[in-house]
Amino acid sequence: MKVAIIHDWLIELGGAESVLKELVNLYSNADIYTLVFNSGNPNFSFLKNRIVRSSFIQRLPGSLKNHRKYLALMPLAIEQFDLSDYDLVISSSYCVAKGVLTGPGQLHVCYCHSPVRYAWDLQHQYLEQSGLSNKKRGVLARLILHYIRLWDVRTSNSVDCFIANSNFIAKRIKKVYGRKSLVIHPPVAVEEFNLELEKEDYYLVCSRLVPYKKIDVIVSAFNRMPDKKLFVIGNGPEMKKLKSLAKDNTVLLGFQPFETLKEYMEKAKAFVFAAEEDFGIVPLEAQASGTPVIGYGKGGLLETVVENVTGVFFHEQSPQAIMEAIWHFETMHFDYLNIRKHSENFSTSKFTSSISTFIDDKVKESLESC
């Protein structure tokens, strides 16, 4: 079979790209399509010697640094890919990848990380964080997002079967598209982390420093607990704000290589996580190290953290709620080995086995119906 794999864009490595990597390994002869490809990023070495075709957006000014400004053009760009020669089309989609054009003789399987977040239930949050909520430009932004929603629903009909990355996203797919989906959790490289039984007396955050991650809320909580140490690994547009906010007990380490991150993760007393995520791979990497999670009890985290077994939840994104969760956490005892064993339920091998079985079954059904 001729196979094509479509991914929204390849700029930086994240959870969605971890899924893509495993799909590329599973389908070694597949051609790769994406809107914009940063071929100079060493994290994409797994695409070496593979055919990667990008869209016309690749040639537009600033596309690698600020590709999202071309959102209005993305539906048009994704529809320009000619996939008519392929038998199996797999889209890895959190924006527009699932909108590729396919025919009745082709099988289109979509691994959906989420329907377009900033066009649906996160629209108001997106406009506010982009500074568009009360400006004239916000009117144009709302019109574009309205168009994206119409296009998003229409193109969902061309997908033969959906795979959701969590039960949380399966509910969103049902609400937005009216479609059922199978849940296959993303791969977590648990084998790359070591179980550490001797923890040190500090808390850890590892994240892109962007508004929705709520790192500022975590730092504000630790500002009120000067006896507790917090390390923050990661970089992003919020760095300047966090530097001005953080007190002496918070250390902003910026970007760190994997080996350094891994060491901090394995030795941390707990990993603190305040975002509402669709799934959340990093908290599972912490658990692979035997490190408990103190996290916001909403979204995909409810599927990856077992309360009072592998971590504790707080239920409001506020400094006070985080402080209370940490005080509660410090009264508890955790079995680090059990935390590690729990993380193994989300291993890379389990992902590849589940998704290859599902797609193989769908291919057989498709052939039998011809």
Side-chain angles (χ1 to χ4, degrees):
M1 296 185 71
K2 289 195 67 177
V3 181
I5 299 175
I6 300 88
H7 191 76
D8 288 300
W9 48 75
L10 289 164
I11 305 294
E12 296 176 346
L13 188 67
E17 289 69 38
S18 297
V19 170
L20 175 69
K21 180 180 178 180
E22 297 310 319
L23 290 173
V24 167
N25 290 337
L26 273 174
Y27 299 94
S28 57
N29 294 320
D31 295 333
I32 317 300
Y33 291 80
T34 189
L35 292 175
V36 183
F37 178 37
N38 183 6
S39 57
N41 189 329
N43 288 320
F44 297 134
S45 59
F46 65 89
L47 293 172
K48 188 178 180 180
N49 301 323
R50 302 298 294 269
I51 296 174
V52 180
R53 296 185 173 92
S54 58
S55 73
F56 67 81
I57 294 178
Q58 179 90 32
R59 300 186 292 276
L60 298 179
S63 61
L64 289 181
K65 290 185 177 180
N66 195 6
H67 55 284
R68 287 182 177 85
K69 69 181 180 181
Y70 295 115
L71 176 64
L73 295 176
M74 289 180 181
L76 174 64
I78 208 75
E79 290 176 348
Q80 300 313 300
F81 290 132
D82 182 3
L83 306 182
S84 55
D85 287 340
Y86 297 95
D87 305 296
L88 172 62
V89 174
I90 305 172
S91 57
S92 168
S93 183
Y94 51 88
C95 190
V96 297
K98 71 154 185 39
V100 290
L101 302 179
T102 55
Q106 297 171 289
L107 177 65
H108 179 183
V109 177
C110 174
Y111 188 95
C112 186
H113 307 277
S114 177
V116 193
R117 298 177 185 90
Y118 31 84
W120 291 99
D121 51 315
L122 297 184
Q123 173 185 289
H124 301 294
Q125 180 179 327
Y126 165 73
L127 291 172
E128 183 175 345
Q129 291 176 353
S130 303
L132 297 171
S133 55
N134 295 314
K135 296 183 179 180
K136 290 182 179 179
R137 284 191 304 154
V139 176
L140 177 60
R142 285 182 173 86
L143 286 172
I144 291 172
L145 293 174
H146 176 70
Y147 154 68
I148 293 289
R149 282 193 294 274
L150 295 175
W151 179 88
D152 195 30
V153 172
R154 178 178 62 79
T155 57
S156 68
N157 295 319
S158 68
V159 175
D160 294 294
C161 42
F162 278 99
I163 302 172
N165 72 353
S166 65
N167 290 305
F168 180 64
I169 291 303
K171 291 177 182 177
R172 188 177 281 171
I173 290 170
K174 180 65 176 176
K175 187 175 185 68
V176 172
Y177 302 145
R179 299 285 302 275
K180 292 182 179 180
S181 55
L182 175 74
V183 175
I184 299 178
H185 293 121
V188 181
V190 296
E191 68 282 353
E192 295 186 13
F193 293 84
N194 300 316
L195 171 63
E196 177 58 68
L197 299 177
E198 298 296 325
K199 303 297 184 183
E200 297 184 7
D201 191 19
Y202 67 84
Y203 295 85
L204 178 68
V205 168
C206 178
S207 171
R208 287 181 295 118
L209 306 184
V210 293
Y212 89 92
K213 295 287 188 178
K214 304 293 184 182
I215 311 301
D216 57 332
V217 180
I218 299 174
V219 171
S220 295
F222 277 82
N223 283 348
R224 303 181 194 180
M225 299 183 292
D227 59 319
K228 304 187 192 308
K229 190 78 171 179
L230 175 68
F231 288 102
V232 179
I233 293 178
N235 214 333
E238 293 275 282
M239 177 61 88
K240 184 177 179 180
K241 174 183 176 181
L242 294 174
K243 281 182 177 179
S244 65
L245 178 66
K247 293 187 177 179
D248 292 343
N249 62 321
T250 294
V251 181
L252 301 172
L253 296 169
F255 171 81
Q256 295 294 323
F258 176 73
E259 285 304 317
T260 302
L261 181 155
K262 178 173 172 288
E263 184 177 356
Y264 274 97
M265 192 82 83
E266 290 168 355
K267 294 182 178 179
K269 188 175 185 177
F271 181 80
V272 188
F273 191 79
E276 180 184 344
E277 286 284 15
D278 303 327
F279 179 70
I281 286 179
V282 181
L284 276 166
E285 292 176 340
Q287 292 171 81
S289 309
T291 301
V293 175
I294 301 171
Y296 181 46
K298 198 171 181 181
L301 207 67
L302 294 173
E303 300 172 47
T304 60
V305 175
V306 182
E307 189 166 21
N308 298 326
V309 177
T310 71
V312 299
F313 292 130
F314 51 91
H315 300 283
E316 183 181 288
Q317 291 168 308
S318 69
Q320 183 64 34
I322 293 173
M323 291 165 62
E324 291 174 2
I326 289 172
W327 293 332
H328 174 57
F329 165 81
E330 292 189 342
T331 67
M332 303 177 68
H333 172 75
F334 287 88
D335 185 325
Y336 301 142
L337 178 58
N338 279 347
I339 294 175
R340 165 71 187 200
K341 287 180 178 178
H342 170 70
S343 74
E344 293 170 355
N345 293 319
F346 303 87
S347 66
T348 298
S349 60
K350 183 164 185 177
F351 169 83
T352 54
S353 174
S354 297
I355 202 162
S356 60
T357 298
F358 176 79
I359 293 177
D360 286 349
D361 288 345
K362 291 300 177 182
V363 168
K364 289 176 184 177
E365 289 176 15
S366 179
L367 291 173
E368 289 170 358
S369 64
C370 292

